[in-house]
Amino acid sequence: MTSTDGADAVLIVDDNPSTLISLEAALAPLNTTLVLAATGNEALKHLLQRQFAVVLLDVNLPDMDGFTVARLMYDLERTRGTPVIFLTAGNADEARGYQLGAVDYVTKPVSSFIIRSKVAVFVELARRTRRLIQLEEHVARVERLEALGRLTGRIAHDFNNMLGAIVGSLDSLSRLLTPGSREGQRAAVALEGALACSQLVKQLLTFARVQSGGTTLICLGAKLDAIGELIKRSAGPGVEVKILAPQDSWPVCVDPSQFNMAILNLTTNARDAMPEGGELAIAVENQQVAETMLPQGIQPGEYVVVTVSDTGQGMAPEVAKHAMEPFFTTKAEGKGTGLGLSSVHAFVAQAGGHAEMMSQQDVGTTVRLWFPRGRGSLAAHTPSPPDRDEKAHGETLLVVDDEPLVLTVAASTLRDLGYNVVEAGSGGEALDRLAEHGHIDLLFTDIVMPGGMNGWQLAAEAVRRHPDLKILYTSGFAPSIDRDEAVASLGRLLEKPYRHQQLAEAVRLSLETVPTP
C-alpha cells in the first residue's frame, strides 16, 4: 500500500488475490493510498471509515455482488457521490451498474495502462477538489480574521480614547501630589495600571494590523543585543537564555517597538512553558531561500530569520495549529489574553514576512519569524535631543477631538503648560473657530472623527486657508481611510494615550519645526 494522506485514495475490491496484486502494481505510480478489500462487507467498512477518489469494484464477490455494494453506497449520503468503476469478466448488466452510479466498466484481464489512465483522472480530480476546499477554508478564515480585526480596531480606538482621559488625568494628578505620600502612591499605582492597559490595546491594534508606528531599516542582530538584558529579566532566574545576534545580519524594515514587543511576547510564552526552568535560545541568521527549498508560506528571496526555541512543555498538534489564532490561549483563566502569538503573527505579516511554529509535547517549541531583507542603508544613530523648554511662549492652540473627556484633559494639560487653548468637538466646528480667531499657531487634532470630516481632511483645509499653520495629529487608531501622504506629512502623529511629558514635547517640536520650502 502506498501511503499518503488525503481523500485521493483508491479502494480496490476483488476476491481474486492475483487481481488485487496486479491492480496494486498498476496503480502504484499514481503515488496515492491504495486500500485493498476481498469482500463486499470489507469494502463497506473501509467506505465508512474514509473517503475515496474512486472505487474499483468487482461485480462478482463471494458475500454480495458488486451491484449490491454500489446500491448500499448510493443509499449512504457519505458515499453517494463516490465514483465506481466496475471490474467484470464479461456479460455484466451494464445498464444496472450505471443506474447505481457507475462511471465506467473495465473488462478483465485489465490493461495496466488503461486502468491507470482512468483512475488517474479521478485521483487528480480529488486532489484539485481538496486544494480548492483548503483554499476556500483559508479565504473564509482570512475574511473572519479581517472582520474580527476591524471590530478589534474600533474597540481599541474607543479604549484608547478612554485611556487617554484616564492617563492624562492621573498624570496631572500625580504632579500635584507629594511623591511618596499615600495619595501619591495610589495615583502612581492607578497610572501604572492604566499604562498596562495601554500595552494590551497596542497588542489589539497589532492584531488588527492598524497599529500606527514608524517602520525603519534596522539590524535585528543589533536590536536583540540591545534588549538582551530585558529578555533575560523577562525570562526569569530559572531560565538560561542564549542569544546569538550577529551584527552583520541584513537590514529589515520593521517598527522597532513592535519587534521588541514580539520578542518579549515570545519570551514570556517560553517562560510560562518552563515553570521548572529550562533553556531559551534566540538566534538571528541570514537565509537565501531558493525555489527548490521553499518553506510553507515563503516566497523565494533573501530573508532574516529570527528563531526562538524553548525546552518547555510543548503542545499537542491539535493545540499548536490554533496557537497563533487571536484570543486562543492554553493558560489558566486570567493568566493570558490569547493575543501574544496572534499579535506576533500580525506584526510579521505587516512586515511582509511569515511566522511559523513547531511544537512537540515534553520537548519544546520553536517559533521562526521570516522578515524580507530590506534595501538601503541603516540609519545612523541619532543622539537624544537636549532637554527643551516645554513652556508656552504665548502661542495659541486649536485642540480638536470628538470625545469630550479627551478634549477636556488635553486642553487642561496644555493650559497648565501656559498655552492659550481654543477647543472644538468636530472638524466643522474647528474651521469655524479658526475663522473666528485672529491667529492660531498650531492645530492639534484627532484623526478619527465623525461628522463627515476626519483629521486628515481638517488639516488639509486648515492649511489651505492658513498656510503657516502648524499641525500635530493624534489618534489611538489611525486607519488609512482618506489618508493623503502629503497631508499626513504636514505634522507629527502623537499616539493615544499620551502622557503629560509626551504631549508637551510633541507640541514644542511641532511649533519649532521649520516648514520645508
Side-chain angles (χ1 to χ4, degrees):
M1 179 184 298
T2 306
S3 180
T4 62
D5 294 330
D8 55 353
V10 178
L11 176 60
I12 308 172
V13 189
D14 199 296
D15 61 327
N16 188 328
S18 62
T19 301
L20 289 176
I21 292 171
S22 64
L23 287 173
E24 185 178 27
L27 300 181
L30 296 181
N31 192 30
T32 190
T33 300
L34 303 176
V35 178
L36 309 182
T39 67
N41 280 315
E42 189 179 351
L44 290 172
K45 289 180 182 178
H46 288 303
L47 286 162
L48 290 174
Q49 292 173 356
R50 66 176 302 163
Q51 290 181 304
F52 290 92
V54 64
V55 177
L56 302 184
L57 182 58
D58 189 14
V59 172
N60 298 308
L61 294 171
D63 55 343
M64 65 181 79
D65 62 32
F67 296 132
T68 303
V69 175
R71 181 179 57 78
L72 292 172
M73 288 176 59
Y74 185 80
D75 290 341
L76 291 172
E77 184 176 351
R78 173 185 174 87
T79 56
R80 184 173 300 154
T82 304
V84 174
I85 297 178
F86 276 117
L87 306 175
T88 176
N91 300 321
D93 187 350
E94 294 189 4
R96 183 183 176 193
Y98 285 124
Q99 288 173 353
L100 293 171
V103 296
D104 203 354
Y105 273 83
V106 175
T107 303
K108 300 178 183 178
V110 177
S111 162
S112 296
F113 175 77
I114 291 176
I115 194 65
R116 185 164 57 246
S117 300
K118 290 177 180 290
V119 170
V121 173
F122 295 101
V123 169
E124 181 60 25
L125 178 61
R127 288 171 176 169
R128 293 191 180 191
T129 301
R130 180 178 59 187
R131 287 195 292 267
L132 181 60
I133 291 172
Q134 290 173 339
L135 179 60
E136 289 175 345
E137 291 174 346
H138 175 72
V139 169
R141 180 174 178 273
V142 169
E143 288 176 346
R144 287 197 302 271
L145 289 178
E146 287 180 349
L148 183 57
R150 288 192 294 271
L151 175 62
T152 302
R154 290 194 292 269
I155 293 173
H157 167 253
D158 293 339
F159 263 83
N160 266 337
N161 270 336
M162 294 301 99
L163 283 171
I166 294 169
V167 169
S169 297
L170 289 172
D171 213 358
S172 297
L173 180 62
S174 298
R175 291 170 174 268
L176 300 175
L177 298 174
T178 303
S181 67
R182 184 179 180 185
E183 294 79 5
Q185 290 175 343
R186 287 184 174 180
V189 169
L191 179 58
E192 184 178 345
L195 293 173
C197 289
S198 171
Q199 290 302 311
L200 178 58
V201 173
K202 284 188 175 182
Q203 285 186 313
L204 282 166
L205 288 172
T206 301
F207 157 65
R209 302 188 182 186
V210 294
Q211 173 63 39
S212 56
T215 59
T216 185
L217 278 176
I218 63 172
C219 170
L220 295 186
K223 191 66 178 172
L224 273 179
D225 205 31
I227 63 172
E229 288 303 315
L230 180 58
I231 292 172
K232 291 175 182 177
R233 287 199 300 272
S234 299
V239 177
E240 181 183 357
V241 178
K242 299 177 181 179
I243 299 176
L244 180 60
Q247 304 300 299
D248 60 349
S249 62
W250 294 327
V252 298
C253 190
V254 296
D255 181 338
S257 62
Q258 288 195 40
F259 176 75
N260 291 353
M261 186 183 296
I263 294 301
L264 293 177
N265 273 329
L266 295 175
T267 299
T268 302
N269 280 350
R271 178 200 65 200
D272 294 344
M274 298 183 287
E276 305 300 324
E279 293 183 2
L280 171 65
I282 305 177
V284 179
E285 61 177 330
N286 299 331
Q287 281 204 20
Q288 175 79 43
V289 179
E291 187 80 41
T292 56
M293 50 173 287
L294 290 180
Q296 186 177 5
I298 297 295
Q299 298 299 316
E302 295 176 324
Y303 292 86
V304 178
V305 183
V306 180
T307 303
V308 181
S309 301
D310 66 61
T311 58
Q313 299 165 339
M315 289 176 272
E318 62 272 15
V319 175
K321 69 180 181 181
H322 296 291
M324 289 193 175
E325 294 178 1
F327 308 111
F328 179 86
T329 180
T330 59
K331 298 176 183 177
E333 186 174 352
K335 297 294 185 180
T337 63
L339 286 171
L341 283 175
S342 64
S343 63
V344 171
H345 183 274
F347 157 63
V348 178
Q350 279 180 302
H354 178 73
E356 61 178 355
M357 185 181 71
M358 292 145 288
S359 188
Q360 187 175 347
Q361 278 187 301
D362 302 323
V363 175
T365 299
T366 296
V367 177
R368 286 195 179 91
L369 310 180
W370 298 73
F371 296 95
R373 179 180 183 177
R375 301 299 172 183
S377 302
L378 293 172
H381 174 69
T382 304
S384 300
D387 293 338
R388 62 176 67 250
D389 181 10
E390 298 177 3
K391 293 294 183 180
H393 295 207
E395 296 95 346
T396 299
L397 313 183
L398 174 56
V399 182
V400 189
D401 202 298
D402 64 292
E403 177 53 56
L405 288 175
V406 178
L407 179 60
T408 299
V409 172
S412 176
T413 301
L414 292 169
R415 288 191 179 103
D416 289 345
L417 289 167
Y419 292 102
N420 302 310
V421 178
V422 179
E423 301 178 29
S426 67
E429 185 182 350
L431 292 178
D432 292 340
R433 297 289 177 270
L434 197 61
E436 292 169 3
H437 288 75
H439 180 74
I440 299 290
D441 295 284
L442 180 137
L443 170 65
F444 177 40
T445 179
D446 191 18
I447 293 174
V448 181
M449 296 187 293
M453 180 176 287
N454 61 39
W456 308 124
Q457 295 164 329
L458 170 60
E461 179 60 21
V463 170
R464 188 188 69 80
R465 299 183 185 186
H466 302 273
D468 294 332
L469 182 66
K470 302 294 179 62
I471 304 293
L472 175 61
Y473 298 109
T474 185
S475 183
F477 159 65
S480 59
I481 54 169
D482 299 321
R483 176 185 173 113
D484 183 292
E485 292 302 326
V487 175
S489 66
L490 292 173
R492 290 179 168 81
L493 174 64
L494 178 62
E495 293 182 21
K496 294 179 183 178
Y498 46 78
R499 306 209 35 195
H500 181 287
Q501 180 74 20
Q502 293 171 319
L503 176 59
E505 290 180 356
V507 168
R508 286 263 36 109
L509 279 169
S510 299
L511 286 168
E512 294 170 9
T513 298
V514 178
T516 304

